[in-house]
Amino acid sequence: MYISKQKSHVKSRVSYYTKITLLGVIILLIGILGFILLIEILGLPQLFLFALLVIVGLIICKYGWSKRRIWSKGAKGEKIVAKKLDKLPKKYTAIRDVKIPNLGGDIDHVVVGPTGIYVIETKNYKPTYIPDEDCWYHTSGRVSGLNPAKQVKLQSSKLNDFLKPKLGKKLCKKAIFPVISPINHNLIFKNDIKSYEIVYPEDLVHYISHQRKILNSNEVKDIINILTRYGCIN
């Protein structure tokens, strides 16, 4: 089983916000050092500019670090799922950070094998959620602003539309399985979900490899050849 090790979109965002945080630190240090070293030389208006740099630096640091923490959770989740997928049988291929045209983002993992195509969206949420068909709810009953159900179903639909013309034949929708893989076991299941699957990382290998075989070896090869142009694979 092959799996990509190239930096994903999530890791790129972590790197980006790390740079933003460092920029804030630099501005902050310039403001502090300037204020301390020049306090006896400059007048109040000039010192005010250094004080302003301190404030701006703090704001940028706080913003960059906050965003970095959010994206770091996603990167950690992707890494956990990648390690689990590495244990799949050799007949399966996992492609990371799949960016097909008109998707408006990327797919964390697409696994292709005899049992089908699996669109896997990793989520590393800490609060407890109640998943449903079209959205997730907070335990209070309020609809969550985060909607992994809509996201993974849209990704699966667009992947289906993308593959059909390239394969030169109709791809059965039942060949593509939308899957949400939550890192934390913090879900409360109240309703049956039929339009997508929720599979914890430690259960992914069993779930994928024990489905009914629906793709032959040539179909698997063709799909992999197409998707490797838009994702990352070793």
Side-chain angles (χ1 to χ4, degrees):
M1 203 284 303
Y2 301 95
I3 185 166
S4 163
K5 295 182 180 178
Q6 182 172 321
K7 182 183 288 187
S8 67
H9 172 69
V10 172
K11 290 183 179 178
S12 297
R13 301 308 291 173
V14 172
S15 178
Y16 172 77
Y17 284 111
T18 298
K19 293 176 182 178
I20 294 294
T21 304
L22 290 176
L23 175 62
V25 171
I26 292 171
I27 295 174
L28 176 62
L29 290 176
I30 291 174
I32 292 174
L33 291 175
F35 193 90
I36 293 174
L37 297 176
L38 303 175
I39 189 171
E40 296 182 358
I41 301 175
L42 300 178
L44 190 60
Q46 291 84 0
L47 290 176
F48 175 76
L49 292 177
F50 285 106
L52 186 61
L53 284 177
V54 172
I55 296 172
V56 171
L58 284 171
I59 293 173
I60 294 176
C61 279
K62 183 177 180 181
Y63 170 78
W65 185 252
S66 175
K67 290 291 186 179
R68 185 186 183 280
R69 285 183 61 190
I70 294 172
W71 285 100
S72 292
K73 290 179 183 178
K76 181 180 179 181
E78 285 189 1
K79 186 176 181 180
I80 290 172
V81 168
K83 286 184 177 180
K84 298 299 182 182
L85 294 178
D86 197 32
K87 297 178 182 179
L88 278 165
K90 292 182 179 180
K91 292 183 179 180
Y92 294 85
T93 298
I95 308 167
R96 295 179 60 180
D97 196 28
V98 179
K99 300 184 181 75
I100 59 174
N102 303 317
L103 182 62
D106 62 3
I107 303 172
D108 293 342
H109 301 274
V110 177
V111 175
V112 184
T115 59
I117 305 166
Y118 299 85
V119 174
I120 303 174
E121 181 64 27
T122 304
K123 293 303 177 187
N124 193 2
Y125 298 155
K126 281 192 174 181
T128 299
Y129 291 95
I130 302 171
D132 205 345
E133 287 289 350
D134 297 317
C135 59
W136 286 21
Y137 296 87
H138 294 285
T139 52
S140 64
R142 181 171 54 88
V143 176
S144 170
L146 303 171
N147 197 331
K150 181 180 179 181
Q151 181 182 3
V152 75
K153 288 193 289 185
L154 180 63
Q155 289 174 343
S156 299
S157 177
K158 288 197 172 185
L159 181 61
N160 180 69
D161 294 339
F162 172 75
L163 286 174
K164 281 194 296 186
K166 291 186 174 294
L167 290 173
K169 56 184 176 182
K170 186 176 181 180
L171 181 66
C172 177
K173 285 190 175 181
K174 292 182 179 180
I176 298 181
F177 301 89
V179 179
I180 296 173
S181 188
I183 303 303
N184 301 305
H185 289 235
N186 55 353
L187 302 180
I188 299 175
F189 296 95
K190 291 188 175 182
N191 301 312
D192 291 335
I193 298 172
K194 298 180 180 179
S195 59
Y196 63 95
E197 295 288 340
I198 296 177
V199 184
Y200 291 112
E202 61 269 25
D203 300 323
L204 281 170
V205 170
H206 183 274
Y207 166 73
I208 293 171
S209 60
H210 283 71
Q211 301 294 326
R212 181 174 59 89
K213 293 183 180 180
I214 55 177
L215 297 176
N216 61 47
S217 58
N218 288 331
E219 289 173 325
V220 170
K221 184 178 179 180
D222 290 342
I223 294 167
I224 292 172
N225 287 337
I226 293 171
L227 293 182
T228 50
R229 303 171 192 171
Y230 300 90
C232 310
I233 188 172
N234 281 351

